[in-house]
mmCIF file of all heavy atoms in Angstrom:
data_model
loop_
_atom_site.group_PDB
_atom_site.id
_atom_site.type_symbol
_atom_site.label_atom_id
_atom_site.label_comp_id
_atom_site.label_asym_id
_atom_site.label_seq_id
_atom_site.Cartn_x
_atom_site.Cartn_y
_atom_site.Cartn_z
ATOM 1 N N SER B 307 35.759 -69.032 105.394
ATOM 2 C CA SER B 307 36.437 -70.225 105.903
ATOM 3 C C SER B 307 37.653 -69.878 106.767
ATOM 4 O O SER B 307 38.110 -70.682 107.571
ATOM 5 C CB SER B 307 36.848 -71.161 104.758
ATOM 6 O OG SER B 307 37.931 -70.610 104.054
ATOM 7 N N PHE B 308 38.198 -68.652 106.607
ATOM 8 C CA PHE B 308 39.279 -68.207 107.504
ATOM 9 C C PHE B 308 38.800 -68.170 108.946
ATOM 10 O O PHE B 308 39.584 -68.203 109.869
ATOM 11 C CB PHE B 308 39.762 -66.790 107.130
ATOM 12 C CG PHE B 308 40.466 -66.740 105.811
ATOM 13 C CD1 PHE B 308 40.289 -65.658 104.947
ATOM 14 C CD2 PHE B 308 41.318 -67.765 105.415
ATOM 15 C CE1 PHE B 308 40.936 -65.602 103.733
ATOM 16 C CE2 PHE B 308 41.971 -67.714 104.195
ATOM 17 C CZ PHE B 308 41.776 -66.634 103.355
ATOM 18 N N PHE B 309 37.480 -67.997 109.101
ATOM 19 C CA PHE B 309 36.934 -67.806 110.441
ATOM 20 C C PHE B 309 36.233 -69.060 110.955
ATOM 21 O O PHE B 309 35.418 -68.988 111.859
ATOM 22 C CB PHE B 309 35.968 -66.608 110.439
ATOM 23 C CG PHE B 309 36.621 -65.336 109.986
ATOM 24 C CD1 PHE B 309 36.473 -64.878 108.685
ATOM 25 C CD2 PHE B 309 37.415 -64.595 110.860
ATOM 26 C CE1 PHE B 309 37.080 -63.707 108.261
ATOM 27 C CE2 PHE B 309 38.030 -63.418 110.444
ATOM 28 C CZ PHE B 309 37.871 -62.987 109.143
ATOM 29 N N GLU B 310 36.582 -70.223 110.382
ATOM 30 C CA GLU B 310 35.883 -71.449 110.749
ATOM 31 C C GLU B 310 36.028 -71.739 112.248
ATOM 32 O O GLU B 310 35.076 -72.194 112.887
ATOM 33 C CB GLU B 310 36.400 -72.616 109.898
ATOM 34 C CG GLU B 310 35.359 -73.711 109.746
ATOM 35 C CD GLU B 310 35.688 -74.728 108.641
ATOM 36 O OE1 GLU B 310 36.200 -74.317 107.577
ATOM 37 O OE2 GLU B 310 35.442 -75.904 108.854
ATOM 38 N N ASN B 311 37.214 -71.427 112.796
ATOM 39 C CA ASN B 311 37.409 -71.654 114.233
ATOM 40 C C ASN B 311 36.452 -70.802 115.057
ATOM 41 O O ASN B 311 35.840 -71.289 116.008
ATOM 42 C CB ASN B 311 38.849 -71.310 114.634
ATOM 43 C CG ASN B 311 39.788 -72.421 114.203
ATOM 44 O OD1 ASN B 311 39.364 -73.574 114.071
ATOM 45 N ND2 ASN B 311 41.037 -72.067 113.963
ATOM 46 N N THR B 312 36.358 -69.528 114.690
ATOM 47 C CA THR B 312 35.456 -68.637 115.399
ATOM 48 C C THR B 312 34.016 -69.144 115.303
ATOM 49 O O THR B 312 33.272 -69.161 116.289
ATOM 50 C CB THR B 312 35.529 -67.222 114.783
ATOM 51 O OG1 THR B 312 36.895 -66.856 114.643
ATOM 52 C CG2 THR B 312 34.824 -66.216 115.661
ATOM 53 N N LEU B 313 33.633 -69.567 114.094
ATOM 54 C CA LEU B 313 32.271 -70.069 113.888
ATOM 55 C C LEU B 313 32.026 -71.330 114.715
ATOM 56 O O LEU B 313 30.921 -71.589 115.182
ATOM 57 C CB LEU B 313 32.035 -70.361 112.404
ATOM 58 C CG LEU B 313 31.943 -69.115 111.506
ATOM 59 C CD1 LEU B 313 32.091 -69.489 110.040
ATOM 60 C CD2 LEU B 313 30.626 -68.381 111.738
ATOM 61 N N ASP B 314 33.108 -72.116 114.900
ATOM 62 C CA ASP B 314 33.016 -73.339 115.691
ATOM 63 C C ASP B 314 32.680 -72.996 117.145
ATOM 64 O O ASP B 314 31.832 -73.634 117.765
ATOM 65 C CB ASP B 314 34.355 -74.081 115.599
ATOM 66 C CG ASP B 314 34.223 -75.515 116.092
ATOM 67 O OD1 ASP B 314 33.064 -75.955 116.290
ATOM 68 O OD2 ASP B 314 35.248 -76.167 116.269
ATOM 69 N N ILE B 315 33.351 -71.940 117.655
ATOM 70 C CA ILE B 315 33.143 -71.551 119.048
ATOM 71 C C ILE B 315 31.788 -70.861 119.227
ATOM 72 O O ILE B 315 31.074 -71.074 120.196
ATOM 73 C CB ILE B 315 34.273 -70.584 119.505
ATOM 74 C CG1 ILE B 315 35.643 -71.250 119.267
ATOM 75 C CG2 ILE B 315 34.120 -70.212 120.971
ATOM 76 C CD1 ILE B 315 36.807 -70.304 119.425
ATOM 77 N N LEU B 316 31.425 -70.010 118.253
ATOM 78 C CA LEU B 316 30.215 -69.197 118.388
ATOM 79 C C LEU B 316 29.259 -69.425 117.221
ATOM 80 O O LEU B 316 29.206 -68.633 116.286
ATOM 81 C CB LEU B 316 30.594 -67.707 118.434
ATOM 82 C CG LEU B 316 31.284 -67.213 119.699
ATOM 83 C CD1 LEU B 316 31.893 -65.842 119.469
ATOM 84 C CD2 LEU B 316 30.275 -67.149 120.853
ATOM 85 N N PRO B 317 28.473 -70.486 117.220
ATOM 86 C CA PRO B 317 27.574 -70.754 116.085
ATOM 87 C C PRO B 317 26.546 -69.643 115.864
ATOM 88 O O PRO B 317 25.989 -69.535 114.779
ATOM 89 C CB PRO B 317 26.894 -72.074 116.459
ATOM 90 C CG PRO B 317 27.146 -72.257 117.905
ATOM 91 C CD PRO B 317 28.411 -71.554 118.239
ATOM 92 N N VAL B 318 26.326 -68.793 116.868
ATOM 93 C CA VAL B 318 25.376 -67.697 116.682
ATOM 94 C C VAL B 318 25.852 -66.756 115.574
ATOM 95 O O VAL B 318 25.052 -66.123 114.874
ATOM 96 C CB VAL B 318 25.154 -66.929 118.013
ATOM 97 C CG1 VAL B 318 26.422 -66.212 118.445
ATOM 98 C CG2 VAL B 318 24.003 -65.946 117.879
ATOM 99 N N LEU B 319 27.162 -66.666 115.389
ATOM 100 C CA LEU B 319 27.698 -65.829 114.314
ATOM 101 C C LEU B 319 27.241 -66.338 112.947
ATOM 102 O O LEU B 319 26.978 -65.565 112.036
ATOM 103 C CB LEU B 319 29.232 -65.806 114.370
ATOM 104 C CG LEU B 319 29.866 -65.171 115.608
ATOM 105 C CD1 LEU B 319 31.381 -65.196 115.491
ATOM 106 C CD2 LEU B 319 29.373 -63.748 115.815
ATOM 107 N N ALA B 320 27.165 -67.661 112.828
ATOM 108 C CA ALA B 320 26.720 -68.252 111.558
ATOM 109 C C ALA B 320 25.283 -67.859 111.258
ATOM 110 O O ALA B 320 24.913 -67.616 110.115
ATOM 111 C CB ALA B 320 26.854 -69.772 111.620
ATOM 112 N N VAL B 321 24.484 -67.779 112.342
ATOM 113 C CA VAL B 321 23.079 -67.410 112.170
ATOM 114 C C VAL B 321 22.950 -65.972 111.675
ATOM 115 O O VAL B 321 22.127 -65.659 110.809
ATOM 116 C CB VAL B 321 22.327 -67.600 113.516
ATOM 117 C CG1 VAL B 321 20.958 -66.960 113.454
ATOM 118 C CG2 VAL B 321 22.233 -69.085 113.859
ATOM 119 N N LEU B 322 23.805 -65.088 112.204
ATOM 120 C CA LEU B 322 23.680 -63.662 111.895
ATOM 121 C C LEU B 322 24.520 -63.230 110.700
ATOM 122 O O LEU B 322 24.403 -62.096 110.214
ATOM 123 C CB LEU B 322 24.106 -62.835 113.118
ATOM 124 C CG LEU B 322 23.310 -63.073 114.402
ATOM 125 C CD1 LEU B 322 23.942 -62.302 115.560
ATOM 126 C CD2 LEU B 322 21.854 -62.649 114.219
ATOM 127 N N ASN B 323 25.350 -64.122 110.180
ATOM 128 C CA ASN B 323 26.370 -63.757 109.195
ATOM 129 C C ASN B 323 25.796 -63.210 107.882
ATOM 130 O O ASN B 323 26.477 -62.501 107.150
ATOM 131 C CB ASN B 323 27.271 -64.969 108.915
ATOM 132 C CG ASN B 323 28.517 -64.589 108.150
ATOM 133 O OD1 ASN B 323 28.970 -63.456 108.271
ATOM 134 N ND2 ASN B 323 29.049 -65.495 107.366
ATOM 135 N N GLY B 324 24.539 -63.524 107.584
ATOM 136 C CA GLY B 324 23.981 -63.061 106.313
ATOM 137 C C GLY B 324 23.491 -61.614 106.325
ATOM 138 O O GLY B 324 23.307 -61.000 105.274
ATOM 139 N N ILE B 325 23.252 -61.077 107.539
ATOM 140 C CA ILE B 325 22.576 -59.778 107.634
ATOM 141 C C ILE B 325 23.406 -58.624 107.070
ATOM 142 O O ILE B 325 22.935 -57.842 106.243
ATOM 143 C CB ILE B 325 22.198 -59.489 109.109
ATOM 144 C CG1 ILE B 325 21.192 -60.542 109.592
ATOM 145 C CG2 ILE B 325 21.618 -58.094 109.258
ATOM 146 C CD1 ILE B 325 20.831 -60.439 111.063
ATOM 147 N N VAL B 326 24.672 -58.533 107.506
ATOM 148 C CA VAL B 326 25.500 -57.396 107.100
ATOM 149 C C VAL B 326 25.769 -57.383 105.577
ATOM 150 O O VAL B 326 25.591 -56.341 104.930
ATOM 151 C CB VAL B 326 26.808 -57.370 107.932
ATOM 152 C CG1 VAL B 326 27.753 -56.306 107.410
ATOM 153 C CG2 VAL B 326 26.474 -57.113 109.397
ATOM 154 N N PRO B 327 26.179 -58.532 104.977
ATOM 155 C CA PRO B 327 26.348 -58.511 103.522
ATOM 156 C C PRO B 327 25.058 -58.159 102.780
ATOM 157 O O PRO B 327 25.096 -57.443 101.775
ATOM 158 C CB PRO B 327 26.779 -59.943 103.184
ATOM 159 C CG PRO B 327 27.384 -60.456 104.435
ATOM 160 C CD PRO B 327 26.624 -59.809 105.551
ATOM 161 N N SER B 328 23.916 -58.627 103.274
ATOM 162 C CA SER B 328 22.655 -58.354 102.600
ATOM 163 C C SER B 328 22.351 -56.859 102.575
ATOM 164 O O SER B 328 21.982 -56.289 101.537
ATOM 165 C CB SER B 328 21.532 -59.127 103.298
ATOM 166 O OG SER B 328 20.299 -58.535 103.063
ATOM 167 N N MET B 329 22.527 -56.186 103.736
ATOM 168 C CA MET B 329 22.262 -54.745 103.788
ATOM 169 C C MET B 329 23.245 -53.980 102.905
ATOM 170 O O MET B 329 22.879 -53.030 102.213
ATOM 171 C CB MET B 329 22.362 -54.246 105.234
ATOM 172 C CG MET B 329 21.249 -54.717 106.127
ATOM 173 S SD MET B 329 19.654 -54.020 105.672
ATOM 174 C CE MET B 329 19.774 -52.414 106.460
ATOM 175 N N GLY B 330 24.501 -54.403 102.920
ATOM 176 C CA GLY B 330 25.498 -53.752 102.070
ATOM 177 C C GLY B 330 25.147 -53.903 100.598
ATOM 178 O O GLY B 330 25.273 -52.956 99.819
ATOM 179 N N GLY B 331 24.676 -55.088 100.232
ATOM 180 C CA GLY B 331 24.306 -55.332 98.840
ATOM 181 C C GLY B 331 23.176 -54.419 98.386
ATOM 182 O O GLY B 331 23.227 -53.828 97.303
ATOM 183 N N VAL B 332 22.142 -54.271 99.233
ATOM 184 C CA VAL B 332 21.005 -53.427 98.863
ATOM 185 C C VAL B 332 21.414 -51.956 98.790
ATOM 186 O O VAL B 332 21.119 -51.256 97.808
ATOM 187 C CB VAL B 332 19.839 -53.619 99.861
ATOM 188 C CG1 VAL B 332 18.772 -52.565 99.638
ATOM 189 C CG2 VAL B 332 19.244 -55.004 99.699
ATOM 190 N N ALA B 333 22.127 -51.470 99.811
ATOM 191 C CA ALA B 333 22.544 -50.059 99.807
ATOM 192 C C ALA B 333 23.453 -49.783 98.614
ATOM 193 O O ALA B 333 23.303 -48.773 97.918
ATOM 194 C CB ALA B 333 23.269 -49.725 101.110
ATOM 195 N N GLY B 334 24.387 -50.701 98.352
ATOM 196 C CA GLY B 334 25.305 -50.514 97.236
ATOM 197 C C GLY B 334 24.576 -50.501 95.906
ATOM 198 O O GLY B 334 24.886 -49.695 95.029
ATOM 199 N N SER B 335 23.583 -51.364 95.761
ATOM 200 C CA SER B 335 22.922 -51.412 94.451
ATOM 201 C C SER B 335 22.029 -50.198 94.242
ATOM 202 O O SER B 335 21.774 -49.803 93.106
ATOM 203 C CB SER B 335 22.162 -52.719 94.265
ATOM 204 O OG SER B 335 20.964 -52.690 94.958
ATOM 205 N N GLN B 336 21.558 -49.576 95.319
ATOM 206 C CA GLN B 336 20.831 -48.303 95.155
ATOM 207 C C GLN B 336 21.765 -47.250 94.552
ATOM 208 O O GLN B 336 21.429 -46.597 93.565
ATOM 209 C CB GLN B 336 20.309 -47.808 96.509
ATOM 210 C CG GLN B 336 19.158 -48.651 97.063
ATOM 211 C CD GLN B 336 18.585 -48.092 98.343
ATOM 212 O OE1 GLN B 336 19.283 -47.450 99.120
ATOM 213 N NE2 GLN B 336 17.309 -48.342 98.591
ATOM 214 N N THR B 337 22.947 -47.114 95.154
ATOM 215 C CA THR B 337 23.909 -46.138 94.634
ATOM 216 C C THR B 337 24.314 -46.482 93.206
ATOM 217 O O THR B 337 24.332 -45.629 92.320
ATOM 218 C CB THR B 337 25.158 -46.124 95.537
ATOM 219 O OG1 THR B 337 24.750 -45.833 96.860
ATOM 220 C CG2 THR B 337 26.150 -45.080 95.080
#
Side-chain angles (χ1 to χ4, degrees):
Chain B
S307 73
F308 292 142
F309 302 99
E310 206 166 321
N311 283 334
T312 312
L313 290 164
D314 195 11
I315 305 169
L316 289 166
V318 66
L319 296 181
V321 168
L322 301 174
N323 193 28
I325 297 175
V326 173
S328 157
M329 290 293 279
V332 169
S335 78
Q336 289 184 330
T337 303

